[in-house]
Amino acid sequence: MDWQVQTLCGQAYGAQQYQKVGRQTYGAMFSLVLVASLVSLVWINMENVLILIGQDPIIAHEAGRFTLWTVPTLFAYAIFQPLSRYLQIQSLTIPMLLNSVVTLLLHIPLCWFLVFKSGLENVGGALAISISKWLNVIFLLLYVKYSSACAKTRVPVSMEMFHGIGEFFRFVIPSAVMICLQRWAYEIVALLSVLLSNPQLETSVLSVCLTTTSTFYSIPYGIGAAVSTRVSNELGAGRPQAARIAVYTVMILAIIEVLIASGTLFGTRDIFGYSFSNQKEVVGYGVFAYAVALVFKINCINIMFGNIKK
C-alpha cells in the first residue's frame, strides 16, 4: 500500500505540486492506521486462530505471544512507510540512512538485553522490535518537522487530507491484493510445515529460508524504491523518455544483483546454515534454503517490475 504513496506523491512532486505531497502523505497515514487497527484484531487473537486451523498448540502459543507484543509495530509501520516514501520522492535518502543506522545501533543492545538479560526471551525480541520501529518513526517525524529540506512539502494537518483517501484506496486495493497473494504463498508454506512429521525441525528450516529470502529481498526492494521514485518524478514532470531510461537501467541492475546474490548462496550452501543454528539437521537443509532463496530472487525481479509499472 505504501507504494501508492510513492506513485501519487512522486508525480505530484515532479509536477511541483508540493502542498499536495504533504496532504497525500497525511491521508495515507490515516488510511493505513485504519487498516492496521483491523489487522491488529487478528494479531491479538493469533493463538486462537492458529489452533483453529490445526497448528501445534505449543507453537501456536509461542507465535501468539510474539505476535501480541508486535502489535505496536503495525501502527509504527503505518506511519513509517508513507513517511519514508514522502522523503524518498524528494530524494532525501541520506537522513533515512542515518536514521536506520542509529536505530540499528540502538536495537542491537536493546534486543540483547530484552532477550537474554530480562528473561523475556521471545517476548523480549518482540518488544525490542516494537520499540525500535517506533524510534525509527519518532526520529523521522522530528526530521520532517524541523528540517528546512521539507519546508516546501510540509503542510499543517487539516481536513484536506481526507480528500484524497478515496483515490488512494482505488489504487491501493488491487496492489495490496497482488502483494498479499504473493507473500501469503510463503506464509502458507510455513503454516503447512507445522503439519509435517517433525514440526520443530521443519519450522526451524522454514525460518532459515524465510529469513534468508527476506534479507536478500532488501536489495531489490531498495533498487525498486529508487527507480519507482525516479519514474514517478519524471512522469510528473512530463519527461517520459527519462522515465524509460530509468526502467532499462534498473532491469540491468536487477539481473546483475540476482546473479551475484544467487551465486553467493550457492557457493556457501554447505556452511550457510551455521549462521542460524549449530544443529546439523537444520544446517543440512542448506541446499533447500538455497533453492527457496533462488526462486525468491526470481520473484524479486517481478516485484521490481511491478513497482515500475506503478
Side-chain angles (χ1 to χ4, degrees):
M1 297 176 75
D2 53 286
W3 287 104
Q4 305 312 316
V5 180
Q6 192 157 331
T7 300
L8 297 174
C9 290
Q11 293 186 23
Y13 187 81
Q16 299 183 0
Q17 298 174 355
Y18 301 125
Q19 298 296 302
K20 187 177 181 180
V21 172
R23 290 194 298 270
Q24 287 179 332
T25 303
Y26 285 141
M29 288 182 184
F30 177 79
S31 301
L32 292 181
V33 167
L34 289 180
V35 174
S37 301
L38 297 176
V39 175
S40 67
L41 297 177
V42 179
W43 282 29
I44 291 171
N45 297 282
M46 184 57 67
E47 180 179 353
N48 295 329
V49 172
L50 292 175
I51 293 176
L52 183 65
I53 61 177
Q55 298 300 303
D56 183 277
I58 297 176
I59 296 177
H61 176 68
E62 291 300 321
R65 290 177 65 216
F66 186 89
T67 305
L68 179 63
W69 284 92
T70 53
V71 167
T73 64
L74 280 173
F75 298 94
Y77 197 78
I79 298 174
F80 173 78
Q81 287 302 315
L83 200 59
S84 64
R85 302 296 178 226
Y86 165 83
L87 293 173
Q88 284 178 2
I89 60 102
Q90 301 177 72
S91 299
L92 299 175
T93 55
I94 298 301
M96 294 175 58
L97 173 62
L98 296 177
N99 176 55
S100 297
V101 170
V102 171
T103 303
L104 177 62
L105 293 177
L106 293 174
H107 175 74
I108 293 174
L110 178 65
C111 192
W112 174 80
F113 174 77
L114 291 176
V115 172
F116 297 107
K117 295 300 181 181
S118 67
L120 295 175
E121 297 181 343
N122 288 345
V123 171
L127 187 59
I129 293 173
S130 296
I131 294 173
S132 297
K133 286 289 187 182
W134 273 106
L135 286 176
N136 217 343
V137 170
I138 291 170
F139 292 156
L140 281 186
L141 285 173
L142 290 174
Y143 175 80
V144 171
K145 180 175 177 59
Y146 295 106
S147 174
S148 59
C150 301
K152 292 187 296 185
T153 55
R154 188 168 53 230
V155 297
V157 178
S158 66
M159 296 300 293
E160 292 184 357
M161 72 178 188
F162 297 108
H163 294 170
I165 289 180
E167 180 186 20
F168 178 75
F169 274 108
R170 281 198 301 273
F171 281 101
V172 155
I173 292 176
S175 177
V177 171
M178 177 186 68
I179 300 283
C180 285
L181 290 175
Q182 187 171 36
R183 296 192 178 183
W184 284 348
Y186 299 97
E187 304 302 329
I188 291 172
V189 170
L191 290 173
L192 292 177
S193 69
V194 184
L195 303 178
L196 298 175
S197 57
N198 191 346
Q200 285 78 15
L201 173 62
E202 302 299 341
T203 304
S204 298
V205 171
L206 258 297
S207 176
V208 173
C209 294
L210 294 177
T211 302
T212 301
T213 55
S214 297
T215 301
F216 279 86
Y217 167 75
S218 300
I219 302 173
Y221 183 85
I223 297 175
V227 72
S228 181
T229 298
R230 179 66 180 272
V231 169
S232 61
N233 285 167
E234 298 296 354
L235 291 178
R239 295 191 291 266
Q241 183 60 33
R244 188 177 296 108
I245 293 174
V247 172
Y248 292 150
T249 301
V250 82
M251 287 181 180
I252 296 173
L253 291 175
I255 294 172
I256 294 173
E257 190 274 331
V258 168
L259 293 175
I260 293 175
S262 300
T264 301
L265 283 173
F266 182 78
T268 60
R269 63 190 183 281
D270 295 327
I271 61 174
F272 183 76
Y274 287 107
S275 303
F276 300 88
S277 174
N278 56 5
Q279 297 181 20
K280 292 185 178 180
E281 284 184 302
V282 176
V283 177
Y285 278 80
V287 176
F288 177 59
Y290 158 73
V292 174
L294 179 59
V295 171
F296 191 84
K297 296 307 297 178
I298 296 173
N299 288 340
C300 282
I301 300 180
N302 296 330
I303 294 174
M304 208 179 306
F305 291 167
N307 291 330
I308 295 171
K309 291 177 183 177
K310 298 172 189 176

